[in-house]
């Protein structure tokens, strides 16, 4: 184990929990996991369910229900009431193609479906997407991969 502090920023990421391959697509896999009910509701409100059920492949950085709950008061309700803004936020969590944790750890940025490029870095053995930490990697679905994150990503 590496000691805390002292320039381990380029160290290999600590292996994260991974989930067994799912028999379903990204949406079915997320719903079955049980901790993405807010994400599923948001995808439905934005009209993105069918897109993420299509052939893909897609990589989704999926915020948990706890990540949505941690947003500032009123933010989720505002997003759910504004389909355009909600779509922008949700597509900021999606990368075209299947990008596994081994691939993500080698990147410094990735172009999202929304069009922006969030920062990717390995810090203290953890993979970070902007200020969000990947808590579970490589949740395989039939049309891509999900990486669970602990914060909702908001495009600048």
């Amino acid at each position: 184990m590496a000691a805390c502090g002292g320039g381990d920023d380029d160290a290999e990421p600590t292996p994260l929990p991974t989930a067994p391959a799912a028999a379903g697509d990204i949406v079915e896999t997320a719903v079955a996991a049980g901790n993405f009910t807010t994400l599923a509701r948001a995808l439905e409100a934005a009209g993105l369910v069918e897109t993420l059920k299509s052939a893909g492949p897609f990589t989704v950085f999926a915020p948990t229900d706890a990540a949505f709950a941690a947003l500032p008061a009123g933010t989720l309700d505002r997003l759910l009431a504004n389909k355009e803004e909600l779509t922008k936020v949700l597509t900021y969590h999606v990368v075209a193609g299947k990008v596994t944790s081994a691939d993500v750890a080698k990147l410094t940025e990735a172009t999202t479906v929304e069009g922006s490029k969030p920062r990717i870095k390995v810090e203290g053995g953890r993979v970070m997407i902007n200020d969000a930490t990947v808590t579970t990697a490589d949740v395989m679905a039939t049309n891509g991969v999900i990486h669970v994150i602990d914060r909702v990503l908001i495009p600048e």
Side-chain angles (χ1 to χ4, degrees), residues 9-150:
D9 288 352
D10 294 328
E12 285 295 311
T14 304
L16 294 171
T18 57
D25 59 44
I26 285 174
V27 175
E28 292 164 344
T29 302
V31 169
N35 60 340
F36 299 104
T37 56
T38 307
L39 177 60
R41 192 171 105 215
L43 289 170
E44 192 170 310
L48 294 173
V49 171
E50 288 307 311
T51 301
L52 289 178
K53 289 177 89 46
S54 68
F58 303 102
T59 299
V60 177
F61 294 97
T64 61
D65 291 337
F68 278 102
L71 286 170
T75 301
L76 180 59
D77 290 335
R78 187 187 83 244
L79 289 172
L80 290 170
N82 183 331
K83 185 175 178 179
E84 184 178 330
E85 187 179 0
L86 179 63
T87 300
K88 183 175 182 172
V89 168
L90 292 174
T91 56
Y92 188 64
H93 290 79
V94 181
V95 174
K98 184 176 178 182
V99 186
T100 65
S101 59
D103 300 323
V104 170
K106 297 174 189 169
L107 301 174
T108 57
E109 63 183 24
T111 302
T112 66
V113 172
E114 180 266 340
S116 298
K117 295 181 180 183
R119 298 174 318 280
I120 299 172
K121 64 183 174 181
V122 177
E123 187 174 89
R126 299 185 145 224
V127 176
M128 306 284 296
I129 311 299
N130 289 345
D131 294 330
T133 301
V134 175
T135 58
T136 303
D138 296 335
V139 179
M140 297 299 170
T142 57
N143 63 342
V145 61
I146 299 169
H147 302 294
V148 181
I149 57 175
D150 64 353

